[in-house]
Amino acid sequence: MKDFRSYLLASLQVVIFILSLLTDWYFPLTLLFLGVLVIMILDKLGTGIVLREMIALHASFICLAMPALGYTFYIKEGASLNFGFWIKKMAVSESVYFGFALPATIAFTTALCWPLNRKHKTDHGAILKQIIERAKLVLENPAMKKISISILSIGVMMFFISGFLPQEVQFLFLLFYFSAFAGLLYVYYLPSFPYRWVILSGFTLFIIFNALRTGMFTIVAYMGITLFSFFFLGSKTSFLKKILLFFVGAFILIIVQNIKPEYRNETWKNKYTGNKTELFLNLFSEQVSKGSFFSAKAYYPVYYRTNQGFNISMVMHRIPQIQPYDNGEKLFLSFSSAFVPRVLWPDKPEAGGKFNMKYYAGVSIKGWSTNVGPLGEAYGSFGVKGGIVFMFILGFCIRWAYGMVFSISRRLPLIILWIPVLFYQITYSAETDTLQIFNSLIKSAFFIWLLYKIVPVWFGVQKEKRGFSRRRELPSYGTQ
């Protein structure tokens, strides 16, 4: 029955895609599409991993929902709000923008979220439950308790070290930091672990306090998305409670997005020296007490910061009128460079918005960060039809990499708990670029493979002294 619902919801995306090509019902189709994605998440939550669906929802929110809000409201009413509206005015008309962005985004999410229902390769239901149970059996080995703490400790230590290192090697040390979240899941799935909740709570507080210290909430939000499903697997939560939980989470994210600029202004510009946690909580409670965070003016900071469509519209305004389509020349270089270390290719392309904003949108940025996203790259490279095809292929590539994790988990069940390490930077890929997507996937996969070769015990495997490279799983003390 659940498989039928999965295919039904996926098929609805295809229907909306066809309608987006044949009609100009941009706003209703956007709302319908977002509704389908939310239902997909809520239906799967508790029985599966909703990472792909959350990636799709994030992309649709910033590339479709926020631009739709701009076209239908802020363009007409924004000037009267006296809130700097003109800074974020979309650079092309609604029909031009959504004529590309709507079918391209749906093509991406449909390819990404199409159900994984092959035997031994699925992210929900009985097969996923079997993988998790096998992972728990491996974790029950007494040696895994010490290993879990080691992974957590090394991750935290590498985080502090990475800040003092050259940018060229920082990512490697950050991957060790991301590995701490795999260690966190090891501890979570070890009920017999002494002081388990103390460790889980302590690491969570470390992440939150570090976010408050730096004013950077990216890892809290997006790593939270990758971990979200694991904490709900097996829970018997009603659909109504799931809806409530979803909207409470969305509400908190909106409030944080609203107060983030003021918090950063106080801690960065004004050099606030008091208790930053207290400052954040005061700003949070103040925002809630106003009770007007969904008013047009109060919501504008969220719209301003999450409207990825603005950058994409600048690309569409510039290309091909001022600059011709490059037929994927830059994207090909980006894809190729993801496979070659910088040592062997010193001047290879760099991920990040500085180059992309200049190349695709004709805008120079300094002192802040933004990007045209894969959607902007797709249009700037291939135009409307080719861009839609490119987004479909990109979604399929991410789905393929995701599916490979479940294939590998058949013989290495603990690999399933390394999904946060592998896909953390993919979670917010709609606001980065294609190079970062492939860069992070390839580097993270190579990093995990290297760890498996060097410290196989981290994955529940140990080398045998006999032979050259024979390995075996650590003995399990659980019941088969």
Side-chain angles (χ1 to χ4, degrees), residues 177-197:
Y177 171 48
F178 299 156
S179 300
F181 292 90
L184 184 74
L185 289 176
Y186 280 20
V187 175
Y188 177 76
Y189 283 113
L190 266 170
S192 61
F193 203 110
Y195 306 109
R196 171 171 166 255
W197 286 108

Side-chain angles (χ1 to χ4, degrees), residues 50 93 185 211 216 244 270 277 294 329 428:
V50 296
S93 67
L185 289 176
M216 302 297 292
L244 180 63
N270 298 334
T277 303
F294 289 119
E329 182 181 339
Y428 54 97

Side-chain angles (χ1 to χ4, degrees), residues 317-385:
H317 178 72
R318 177 179 173 82
I319 300 175
Q321 289 83 357
I322 300 173
Q323 176 179 314
Y325 302 116
D326 73 357
N327 296 314
E329 182 181 339
K330 191 266 177 184
L331 282 174
F332 176 76
L333 280 176
S334 296
F335 180 77
S336 302
S337 69
F339 293 88
V340 183
R342 189 163 295 277
V343 176
L344 302 178
W345 188 353
D347 59 342
K348 77 173 187 174
E350 292 186 7
K354 191 173 182 180
F355 175 83
N356 278 352
M357 288 298 291
K358 183 66 176 177
Y359 181 80
Y360 289 105
V363 175
S364 299
I365 59 173
K366 187 177 181 181
W368 55 294
S369 177
T370 190
N371 209 326
V372 300
L375 206 57
E377 291 176 304
Y379 179 85
S381 299
F382 307 109
V384 175
K385 293 180 181 178

Side-chain angles (χ1 to χ4, degrees), residues 291-312:
S292 59
F293 28 80
F294 289 119
S295 68
K297 189 168 183 177
Y299 191 78
Y300 186 83
V302 178
Y303 165 76
Y304 182 91
R305 296 181 62 84
T306 60
N307 183 12
Q308 179 66 18
F310 176 67
N311 290 355
I312 298 165

Side-chain angles (χ1 to χ4, degrees), residues 4 7-8 36 73 81 90 188 203 235 259 382 457 480:
F4 172 77
Y7 281 108
L8 176 62
V36 169
F73 180 77
L81 298 175
M90 300 291 285
Y188 177 76
F203 185 74
S235 64
I259 67 175
F382 307 109
V457 289
Q480 297 287 346

Side-chain angles (χ1 to χ4, degrees), residues 19-43:
L19 289 173
S20 72
L21 295 174
L22 302 177
T23 73
D24 60 355
W25 306 340
Y26 304 126
F27 188 68
L29 286 178
T30 295
L31 289 179
L32 179 60
F33 180 57
L34 287 169
V36 169
L37 289 177
V38 171
I39 292 171
M40 288 173 71
I41 291 168
L42 298 179
D43 181 60

